[in-house]
Amino acid sequence: MTRVTLVRGDITRQHVDAVVNAANRAMRGGGGVDGAIHRAGGPGILADCIARFPHGLATGDAGWTTAGDLPARWVIHVVGPNHTAGERDRSLLTSCYRRALEVADDLGATTAAFPLISAGIYGWPLDDAVDAAVSTLRDTPSQVAEARIVAFDQAMYDRVERRLAAS
Ligand code: ADP
């Protein structure tokens, strides 16, 4: 049974087993949380991405690398759907959370920190992005004891808090 928790802050500073990255299909770094993770974790994460995922990842899928200089042990990279570019199949977004939990289980990770996948540059409507995160993390059977949603700003924190309180 996974407990979904919420903090406001920077995901690169979280002391958890695994940090989830909102990556892109190429897995060669990018903006937003992806850029922050690669900057804070150092070049080892990119080297690992290239070695382990020479062809990148499909939208909705997840895969892990080491976490370089981050306090976490692993980074679980997921590729959210790019709503702005016309990828609007919600099952691709919920798949990211489910696949991340599956990969966490494979690794034996019991704490994992999640950003709001697709809620930034990829432009997913915010309330639905929050609902997809909370409901999927709650409903997916997993050995992860704590799934920590990390809200980068106060407005997002408030949005997630409201959704957590709703059910
Ligand atoms: P996507 O391309 O999947 O939309 P983004 O990285 O653009 O991913 O945004 C996803 C969410 O992560 C947004 O809510 C954004 O504000 C947030 N974010 C950006 N940097 C960080 C960070 N260092 N820690 C936690 N969340 C972050």
Side-chain angles (χ1 to χ4, degrees):
M1 171 83 182
T2 303
R3 194 163 57 97
V4 180
T5 62
L6 169 66
V7 300
R8 180 182 169 188
D10 181 342
I11 203 165
T12 67
R13 313 290 293 271
Q14 302 300 310
H15 290 255
V16 285
D17 293 335
V19 160
V20 174
N21 179 24
N24 52 50
R25 284 201 300 264
M27 287 185 80
R28 298 296 180 266
V33 71
D34 193 14
I37 285 172
H38 281 278
R39 275 194 302 279
I45 297 177
L46 180 59
D48 224 13
C49 282
I50 292 167
R52 293 178 52 79
F53 303 97
H55 307 295
L57 267 181
T59 304
D61 203 1
W64 66 272
T65 66
T66 53
D69 300 327
L70 299 181
R73 290 179 67 183
W74 301 288
V75 176
I76 298 175
H77 305 263
V78 302
V79 183
N82 186 342
H83 192 278
T84 305
E87 284 187 303
R88 302 195 175 164
D89 178 353
R90 193 177 193 269
S91 69
L92 292 171
L93 182 55
T94 56
S95 170
C96 289
Y97 292 98
R98 263 199 314 281
R99 286 284 303 127
L101 289 171
E102 279 174 17
V103 171
D105 280 349
D106 290 345
L107 291 165
T110 60
T111 53
F114 289 80
L116 275 309
I117 298 162
S118 293
I121 296 162
Y122 280 2
W124 202 275
L126 295 183
D127 278 333
D128 195 49
V130 167
D131 183 69
V134 171
S135 54
T136 311
L137 291 172
R138 275 186 177 163
D139 294 349
T140 304
S142 154
Q143 299 303 307
V144 172
E146 181 190 2
R148 184 182 306 171
I149 296 176
V150 182
F152 200 45
D153 57 54
Q154 189 61 40
M156 185 60 92
Y157 181 95
D158 293 343
R159 214 178 264 277
V160 178
E161 193 176 46
R162 277 197 301 276
R163 175 61 186 80
L164 286 171
S167 63

